[in-house]
Amino acid sequence: MLFIAENGTLVMYKGEELYFHPLQKEHLPELLAIAKNLDNAYTVLCGRQSAYIESTEPRFINEVEKYYAKYQVVENFQDVQDDLLKIRHL
């Protein structure tokens, strides 16, 4: 089975990684600054190992759990060490 995941940043076939293109870490501060200015949206960092969130607001957690089997609440997105595949807003 062929998996094209996270908007094409990760492609797997028969358990073998064919393509991987993470977000460049140097762009993260600018992208997060833009994300924080979006009204009525919470940010989710989608990493190779997990999704990452900063908010524990119950309605947001409920939405996160609809889409992500694995997520971690972090104090600051800048501290995430995982390879990041995309930034999403819920």
Side-chain angles (χ1 to χ4, degrees):
M1 183 176 288
L2 176 68
F3 287 95
I4 300 175
E6 302 298 354
N7 296 334
T9 58
L10 178 61
V11 178
M12 303 284 293
Y13 181 63
K14 294 184 179 181
E16 180 182 338
E17 183 179 295
L18 300 180
Y19 178 80
F20 177 62
H21 187 75
L23 290 172
Q24 296 177 351
K25 297 260 185 185
E26 62 265 20
H27 297 299
L28 192 58
E30 180 181 358
L31 294 171
L32 290 174
I34 293 167
K36 286 186 187 274
N37 287 322
L38 296 175
D39 291 332
N40 301 316
Y42 292 97
T43 301
V44 180
L45 290 184
C46 301
R48 189 176 201 146
Q49 303 299 317
S50 180
Y52 303 90
I53 59 175
E54 290 180 329
S55 174
T56 58
E57 196 275 321
R59 284 185 18 202
F60 174 57
I61 295 292
N62 187 50
E63 284 299 304
V64 168
E65 290 176 345
K66 289 179 185 178
Y67 300 102
Y68 300 98
K70 184 176 179 183
Y71 68 91
Q72 295 178 36
V73 178
V74 296
E75 289 288 321
N76 188 321
F77 285 136
Q78 298 290 345
D79 298 334
V80 173
Q81 298 299 308
D82 199 353
D83 291 320
L84 300 176
L85 304 170
K86 73 178 178 181
I87 298 175
R88 181 173 183 196
H89 298 91
L90 295 175

